Amino acid sequence: MSDPNPLTTGSKPDKARFVIALALAVLAAVIGWEAWRLAQIPSYSSVGPAAFPTLIAIGLGLLAIANAVEAMKGMDEERPRDEPKPIFWVLAGLVGQIVLLPFLGFSIATGWLFAATAKGFGRGPIWAHFLAGTAICFIIYLVFAKGLQLSLPAGPLERLI
Amino acid sequence: MTKMLRGAVVAAALASCIPFVSAHAEVTELKIMAPAAPGGGWDQTARSMQHVLQTDKLVSNVQVLNVPGAGGTIGLAQFVNASKADPHALIVGGYVMVGAIITNKSPVTLSQVTPIARLTGEFEAIAVPANSPLKSMADLVAALKADPAKVSWAGGSAGGTDHIAAGLILKAIGGDPKKLNYIAFSGGGESLASILGGKVTVGISSLSEFDAQAKAGKLRILGVSGAQRLPEAPDVPTFKESGVDVEIQNWRMVAAAPGITPEQKKELSGLVEKMAKSKAWTDMLKQKGWADTYLAGEAFDKQLAIDIANTTTVLKEIGLAQ
Amino acid sequence: MDTFAALSQGLMVALQPMNLVFAFFGVMLGTAVGVLPGIGPALTVALLLPITFKLDPAGSLIMFAGIYYGGMYGGSTASILLNTPGESSSIVTALEGNKMARAGRGGPALATAAIGSFVAGTIATVGLALIAPTIVDIAISFGPEDYFALMILAFTTVSAAFGSSVTRGLTSLFIGLSLGLVGIDLQSGQARISFGVPDLLDGVEVTTLAVALFAIGETLSVAAAGSRAEEVIEPVKGSVFMNKEDWKRSWWPWIRGTFLGFPIGAMPAGGAEIPTFLSYALEKRLCKKPDEFGNGAIEGVAGPEAANNAAAAGVLVPLLTLGLPTSATAAIMLAGFQQYGLNPGPLLFATNPDLVWGLIASLFIANIMLLILNLPLVGMWVRLLAIPRPWLYGGILVFATLGTLGANPSLVELGMLVIFGLLGYVLRRYDYPIAPVVVGLILGPLAEQQLRRALAISVGDPMVLFQTPIALTLYALAALALFGPLLFYLITGRKAPVGGDED
């Protein structure tokens, strides 16, 4: 929540915020292009589907510039380094869940998510967490799928019942 | 970020190819897909079927699966891909799906499933606030002929039954459907509020939405879209009686999986017919206020083809489809 | 006097032992599902409709009322403790509530939410019983141009309240607005920013975005901090319950939240989110310690919580007086009424008075029941935070994905959860505020639709936007919020001591 102030003009430009400014510019271009496409479609109403996208694209473009300008002024303080490994584990858990879900069902896929997240936070062994997580998720499945008739994805484990 | 996006797209492709529920081998089981979130019309139809099939012991185990999204086209795509030749799979759908397939340019269409029967329908009605200068359909027609842009219509989402019905009416009196001043609302309550508050000229929706207000004298119903007058509103003339040649119903149907054998289709049709003729089903319809518009076999196939053709034409004329 | 006779008659109905059991069951069930992000009261009631078919109308409607209020309550518990807003109307609660929980003040946060919900629910239910017909006339008179003005007011007050850097705040807001464009445009039926992916046609789900940004984004950034973030969450620092200062600081926000929530909730297009935004912004302005906002200010929990509960009662105003369902839950309740052959509408009060008053009375009962059940549990709930970090965050992710899957069993939805989680991480890492993204997603589409409706009805004449007294008043308030902070402080300077002297 720190405001970049002119006192720090001497420091190095903030690379990360340049990347963000670039990303905003790309987003502005995508939405602007979409607005142009929508404007080609004839519609009777005075304010059509293209008006808001146009405004938002312009706003994003201006914000890209503003972020770039602030990035030039540099950072006000050094950001602490983030560790990539735990992020990798948590993402592996989330993506793994998506991949496993259709084949192995809710309990096993979500058990994996639990184990990988715990691993990311430095708690192992992963297989023990996987087993415990799967067991707990199986109980959750029973409660929601049977008790409340929610349609959660079923796999080999869920089909046993 | 783009890699992530591509991942999501791949995941989407996976999701549509792989069934969440595997095929069953037993005859006593049936799974009905409601291609909508719990609570809506299709979901209620599916759950009513579940209720009747089970209480009348026609099928011992019926499951309802909700796959919401995009006017039912997401559920339809999943159904076509996942339930191929599965004689125990049914999907509920309806007129809204016909429009959604066209406007969303859905790659999967109703020609890829095996339609079994039309079950229920709701008729459209046009309502104005009690103090509106429009007293009859003739007044509305005159106003539309004077300047269609000055007549604002409140109804459901663009391209839905309400929008199509309004477009058909303007077309039927010789107007240009492109000039239709249609205001879409996302929920029945919001659109009804704008009609009661006199913010729009007329409202168009299924009759059941207006019924209670009309009985209380807050709204006046100008016309209904049935072939005959409706039992719920015997005093209200049909559009046709008022010289507007439009007849439309928001119907709901049930279809089976693609690629089932003629024998399997016959068996499912027999089952659905038994259900639709049962007392439990008629009671259910009465309680929900749905009209019994059961139609099966070739007659339904023919009607479906006509509906699809008409809808395509009118959506093009409104400018919603190319 | 008639009203009171009818209400006491209703209380007699609601207090029958069997109906109390229904209310209890509903409240428990509602709290349980309300905790899950994505699965709310609407879905629960929808799933229960076929099951309750055989019950008598009074009993099942009373149970639905319990689920409704219970769901609101469960949503805020999850927001405060786990940072996973269970309902879109409890997103604002997570902002200050979760900060309080992390600072060992989860107990007071839960307590002020519970008591605030009770106070707001009770006042709003009284309002429902006494002035529903008057309120509904005003609510109906709101046209699209007035709603548009209300959105402008919400935008200006809210953007003034979030974050200290204008560029960063606006960047977040515009990311949210961009996400709001995704899907089929309601007015024209055209698909926007959907790239031909059918799952995107219905747009971005608010709870999916909020859970991803708040819970998953935070999980990622805490994980990334690794050994740096060694601090252990202490579930309780100081008192488990509210101390004297907490009471003093909660009292006025409860009342103000109620008076924002009830009327806006009663408006057909008002909803429960906007009053929570407005309440948050208002409390930040009025707070004597504005620096505490963003670090766990109790006013930021008390006000919005009262506002969302009052709005929940407000939604019943058009439903019971006119038969207008203006929220997903109300639409399902309407289906519930119809299941018993009752047609809510202008005549319901006249044709089925015992049922209507029974329902209103059962709202009181549900409120009291929630308070009695939940206050003693506060101490137990906050212990959740004592769970070791790997398991706590593992559990939060299980929870977040379960809620998303339950609401929509689609892998694309889960994919969005991951992508928005990464977005949340990036925003956190580079000091961009999170809340404006969600605000943009909620308010953007509403503002666009109302503006276009207003202009379509007027056949393109922009002057329609400035013609009603309601709209002009709202614009004046917006201008005041934007350009008149000085003036505002003068007013608050006079008002604040009044709030302080009370109690």
Side-chain angles (χ1 to χ4, degrees):
Chain A
M1 296 282 154
S2 48
D3 205 3
N5 54 61
L7 285 174
T8 54
T9 34
S11 58
K12 276 189 294 180
D14 186 343
K15 268 190 226 140
R17 288 199 71 190
F18 268 124
V19 176
I20 290 176
L22 191 71
L24 290 173
V26 171
L27 187 60
V30 170
I31 295 176
W33 175 77
E34 184 79 352
W36 176 82
R37 183 185 69 82
L38 288 164
Q40 305 309 305
I41 299 166
S43 104
Y44 183 71
S45 53
S46 48
V47 179
F52 263 64
T54 310
L55 287 178
I56 291 171
I58 293 170
L60 283 168
L62 293 175
L63 284 167
I65 297 168
N67 275 284
V69 169
E70 286 189 7
M72 298 278 276
K73 287 186 192 156
M75 294 178 245
D76 14 270
E77 62 194 70
E78 202 65 32
R79 287 184 200 96
R81 236 181 73 81
D82 266 5
E83 292 172 25
K85 221 169 128 193
I87 298 195
F88 164 78
W89 274 110
V90 175
L91 284 179
L94 287 163
V95 174
Q97 185 197 27
I98 296 177
V99 174
L100 295 179
L101 207 52
F103 305 99
L104 299 176
F106 175 77
S107 312
I108 296 176
T110 315
W112 159 253
L113 169 68
F114 181 75
T117 311
K119 178 78 186 160
F121 280 85
R123 186 76 63 112
I126 199 160
W127 60 270
H129 280 86
F130 173 63
L131 287 182
T134 304
I136 295 167
C137 292
F138 187 65
I139 297 170
I140 294 177
Y141 176 87
L142 284 182
V143 171
F144 282 92
K146 296 295 152 192
L148 209 58
Q149 303 270 306
L150 270 180
S151 36
L152 289 170
L157 206 55
E158 287 83 1
R159 266 179 232 125
L160 289 178
I161 40 151
Chain B
M1 205 66 178
T2 42
K3 211 177 253 172
M4 290 307 297
L5 208 67
R6 205 177 309 143
V9 174
V10 171
L14 276 175
S16 49
C17 307
I18 296 155
F20 275 137
V21 186
S22 77
H24 303 271
E26 285 200 292
V27 208
T28 49
E29 286 190 305
L30 205 55
K31 47 184 196 289
I32 307 175
M33 179 187 281
W42 291 342
D43 174 68
Q44 286 188 48
T45 308
R47 286 179 196 272
S48 304
M49 286 178 69
Q50 177 188 36
H51 182 77
V52 172
L53 286 171
Q54 285 183 342
T55 46
D56 279 13
K57 304 212 165 46
L58 295 169
V59 182
S60 57
N61 182 9
V62 184
Q63 285 180 15
V64 172
L65 177 69
N66 294 94
V67 183
T73 52
I74 291 179
L76 185 68
Q78 191 176 319
F79 182 78
V80 165
N81 288 320
S83 306
K84 222 161 256 161
D86 180 354
H88 305 293
L90 290 176
I91 185 171
V92 169
Y95 187 58
V96 174
M97 201 184 254
V98 172
I101 288 169
I102 301 166
T103 49
N104 297 349
K105 303 183 192 77
S106 166
V108 178
T109 69
L110 286 178
S111 64
Q112 282 162 273
V113 295
T114 314
I116 298 290
R118 183 175 76 188
L119 292 175
T120 69
E122 284 183 278
F123 292 96
E124 293 285 296
I126 291 181
V128 292
N131 60 1
S132 162
L134 303 179
K135 303 286 179 213
S136 66
M137 272 306 275
D139 292 345
L140 175 62
V141 170
L144 281 172
K145 280 193 170 151
D147 186 358
K150 289 239 170 78
V151 177
S152 50
W153 303 68
S157 52
T161 315
D162 304 341
H163 195 180
I164 291 171
L168 286 172
I169 288 169
L170 189 51
K171 191 182 157 193
I173 61 160
D176 176 3
K178 274 203 176 60
K179 295 214 168 125
L180 185 71
N181 190 0
Y182 186 79
I183 322 285
F185 288 85
S186 46
E190 243 187 278
S191 105
L192 202 44
S194 74
I195 304 163
L196 286 170
K199 306 290 169 192
V200 290
T201 322
V202 295
I204 184 160
S205 184
S206 62
L207 177 66
S208 59
E209 297 260 340
F210 297 142
D211 216 19
Q213 309 297 329
K215 290 212 168 85
K218 299 210 168 194
L219 287 182
R220 177 167 53 247
I221 298 177
L222 300 183
V224 290
S225 69
Q228 290 99 33
R229 292 193 178 203
L230 304 176
E232 299 88 10
D235 306 330
V236 179
T238 63
F239 294 158
K240 280 194 166 164
E241 278 178 63
S242 313
V244 180
D245 189 14
V246 172
E247 198 190 307
I248 188 171
Q249 66 163 295
N250 186 1
W251 47 262
R252 298 192 192 122
M253 65 150 187
V254 60
I260 56 169
T261 64
E263 292 81 58
Q264 286 166 340
K265 182 182 174 185
K266 216 176 134 196
E267 197 184 330
L268 282 172
S269 303
L271 185 68
V272 170
E273 187 175 356
K274 235 187 249 166
M275 178 205 75
K277 302 284 179 230
S278 71
K279 188 178 174 300
W281 181 254
T282 26
D283 287 350
M284 183 76 84
L285 292 183
K286 201 179 281 166
Q287 175 211 91
K288 303 240 179 212
W290 296 340
D292 185 355
T293 59
Y294 180 79
L295 189 69
E298 261 172 51
F300 177 48
D301 292 345
K302 235 182 246 165
Q303 184 60 42
L304 186 58
I306 295 172
D307 278 343
I308 292 175
N310 285 348
T311 309
T312 312
T313 325
V314 75
L315 283 174
K316 274 184 191 158
E317 282 167 346
I318 305 173
L320 271 169
Q322 277 84 49
Chain C
M1 276 299 105
D2 244 13
T3 310
F4 285 104
L7 186 59
S8 55
Q9 186 69 36
L11 274 171
M12 297 303 285
V13 174
L15 280 173
Q16 283 165 17
M18 207 48 215
N19 288 341
L20 279 179
V21 173
F22 283 127
F24 177 78
F25 188 63
V27 162
M28 292 307 279
L29 196 65
T31 313
V33 296
V35 169
L36 284 172
I39 305 179
L43 195 68
T44 312
V45 175
L47 292 167
L48 284 178
L49 268 186
I51 303 171
T52 56
F53 180 61
K54 293 191 189 81
L55 304 178
D56 77 306
S60 59
L61 286 177
I62 285 169
M63 186 165 86
F64 294 159
I67 293 175
Y68 191 35
Y69 273 16
M72 304 295 286
Y73 189 81
S76 39
T77 307
S79 280
I80 291 169
L81 293 176
L82 305 178
N83 213 6
T84 54
E87 317 297 326
S88 57
S89 56
S90 50
I91 288 169
V92 175
T93 311
L95 295 179
E96 300 302 319
N98 191 251
K99 290 272 163 40
M100 284 182 73
R102 310 244 140 189
R105 307 235 309 131
L110 286 172
T112 198
I115 302 169
S117 298
F118 173 74
V119 171
T122 307
I123 297 177
T125 312
V126 172
L128 177 64
L130 296 182
I131 52 168
T134 325
I135 282 272
V136 85
D137 282 343
I138 302 168
I140 288 284
S141 70
F142 264 64
E145 58 280 359
D146 304 316
Y147 283 115
F148 180 68
L150 180 67
M151 306 302 161
I152 296 297
L153 174 65
F155 266 124
T156 47
T157 52
V158 166
S159 42
F162 288 133
S164 49
S165 152
V166 176
T167 315
R168 286 163 194 262
L170 281 179
T171 303
S172 295
L173 183 70
F174 269 77
I175 292 174
L177 290 174
S178 310
L179 293 174
L181 290 175
V182 176
I184 294 174
D185 168 42
L186 185 66
Q187 296 303 317
S188 68
Q190 299 294 339
R192 300 193 295 195
I193 330 269
S194 307
F195 315 107
V197 181
D199 295 79
L200 289 179
L201 291 178
D202 282 344
V204 176
E205 192 66 44
V206 173
T207 42
T208 303
L209 179 75
V211 167
L213 289 178
F214 287 16
I216 298 186
E218 184 190 88
T219 306
L220 285 169
S221 54
V222 174
S227 45
R228 237 192 303 133
E230 208 51 89
E231 36 112 23
V232 179
I233 301 169
E234 248 183 76
V236 182
K237 269 184 210 153
S239 163
V240 183
F241 289 103
M242 294 161 69
N243 59 30
K244 205 170 168 221
E245 198 203 342
D246 292 333
W247 277 98
K248 230 173 168 172
R249 291 176 58 179
S250 294
W251 189 243
W252 278 105
W254 290 338
I255 304 294
R256 284 190 289 258
T258 305
F259 283 94
L260 279 172
F262 183 63
I264 297 180
M267 290 175 197
E273 294 90 1
I274 292 170
T276 63
F277 295 157
L278 291 176
S279 166
Y280 183 86
L282 183 67
E283 295 312 328
K284 190 175 182 185
R285 275 285 162 81
L286 297 181
C287 182
K288 275 186 274 177
K289 298 174 185 164
D291 325 334
E292 274 192 28
F293 268 76
N295 301 314
I298 196 164
E299 292 90 342
V301 179
E305 266 309 301
N308 82 29
N309 257 60
V315 165
L316 295 176
V317 170
L319 180 69
L320 293 180
T321 51
L322 295 178
L324 300 185
T326 55
S327 74
T329 315
I332 304 287
M333 294 253 259
L334 185 68
F337 278 110
Q338 278 159 350
Q339 175 159 289
Y340 297 108
L342 304 165
N343 243 332
L347 301 179
L348 187 67
F349 269 94
T351 52
N352 295 82
D354 49 335
L355 197 89
V356 177
W357 289 106
L359 181 69
I360 292 176
S362 67
L363 291 173
F364 278 115
I365 308 272
N367 241 326
I368 295 169
M369 228 175 230
L370 272 172
L371 194 70
I372 296 174
L373 284 176
N374 283 299
L375 270 188
L377 291 181
V378 163
M380 195 198 81
W381 279 118
V382 292
R383 298 278 157 206
L384 266 185
L385 295 172
I387 295 174
R389 208 188 278 253
W391 297 342
L392 179 64
Y393 281 103
I396 288 176
L397 291 195
V398 169
F399 225 55
T401 52
L402 167 67
T404 309
L405 273 176
N408 183 2
S410 137
L411 296 186
V412 178
E413 200 75 20
L414 278 188
M416 285 203 253
L417 202 66
V418 179
I419 293 170
F420 295 144
L422 273 173
L423 173 69
Y425 164 70
V426 171
L427 292 176
R428 249 167 244 266
R429 172 98 176 109
Y430 300 106
D431 279 335
Y432 287 82
I434 304 281
V437 184
V438 185
V439 171
L441 177 67
I442 295 176
L443 290 183
L446 289 175
E448 176 183 10
Q449 295 305 328
Q450 299 295 3
L451 176 66
R452 286 169 60 191
R453 275 181 201 140
L455 291 177
I457 292 172
S458 76
V459 201
D461 177 14
M463 282 320 289
V464 71
L465 298 178
F466 307 99
Q467 274 167 356
T468 69
I470 300 173
L472 289 175
T473 315
L474 291 168
Y475 285 128
L477 285 173
L480 198 69
L482 200 59
F483 303 113
L486 231 171
L487 196 62
F488 212 91
Y489 281 125
L490 280 177
I491 298 167
T492 59
R494 239 179 286 135
K495 258 192 180 164
V498 181
D501 286 339
E502 207 70 15
D503 201 351

